[in-house]
Amino acid sequence: MGSVTAQLPALIGVLIGTIGTIVATSVADRTRWKRNQSVRWDDRRLDAYIEFARVIKEIHAVAVRMLADERPHSRGHRMDREEGLARLADADVRHTLAWESVLLLGDASTVSAARDWRDAVWRIERAARGLTEGDDHADLLHRANEARDHFYRAARSGLGVRGGSVAQATVLEARLDEIRASGASRRTPETSAQA
């Protein structure tokens, strides 16, 4: 009995060490599993955001090209109505699928920003389809650019992407102002008097 009592502290130490190892291994495995799951979902979320942005930007670009004749300072290439409508119909199907992925995987602020961008581009698309009248195209474009910037800020924040602002709305608005100014300077006094 004396030998068991003498070995008891060593046995307790081994038992505590074994339990500590099991707990530490379990915690490390759980942490690794959570990190892997997070990376996996972040990858899928990124893919969903990229596809959504790609199709919304395509709808935006097609609609703007359809409106090129109605925008006096446009430098874009005109797209005829029939081709534009066909491309919009195709993009709309892909948009619906991409939107579902954003809804499933996106965080609340990114989904909200995606909805705002989608709605702003829809306004441009409706103008291109001839479903609205009297809209200021420059204002519609500016709102869509601002909504895109907001979407990218929310998506980058949700994904933990660092690196500063990628906002384009102010850059694009400044470029539009330059185009307007160069168009106004090309007008002759006779043309200005008629306007």
Side-chain angles (χ1 to χ4, degrees), residues 55-64 88 91-92 95 121 125:
V55 74
I56 290 295
K57 190 60 182 174
E58 180 183 348
I59 292 168
H60 178 121
V62 169
V64 166
L88 287 174
D92 188 51
H95 159 260
V121 170
E125 181 184 0

Side-chain angles (χ1 to χ4, degrees), residues 48-49 98-107 111 115 118:
Y49 293 166
W99 177 242
E100 293 303 319
S101 295
V102 170
L103 286 176
L104 178 65
L105 298 171
D107 59 77
V111 169
R115 184 178 295 114
R118 179 196 66 189

Side-chain angles (χ1 to χ4, degrees), residues 15-67:
L15 182 63
I16 290 173
T18 303
I19 291 172
T21 301
I22 291 170
V23 169
T25 302
S26 176
V27 168
D29 285 347
R30 181 172 291 150
T31 302
R32 188 178 318 112
W33 183 83
K34 285 181 180 180
R35 186 174 50 247
N36 288 340
Q37 286 297 102
S38 175
V39 167
R40 179 176 158 214
W41 287 116
D42 281 350
D43 285 346
R44 289 187 177 182
R45 191 174 299 121
L46 175 62
D47 291 342
Y49 293 166
I50 288 170
E51 182 57 27
F52 174 78
R54 184 177 291 132
V55 74
I56 290 295
K57 190 60 182 174
E58 180 183 348
I59 292 168
H60 178 121
V62 169
V64 166
R65 287 181 62 193
M66 289 172 67
L67 290 169

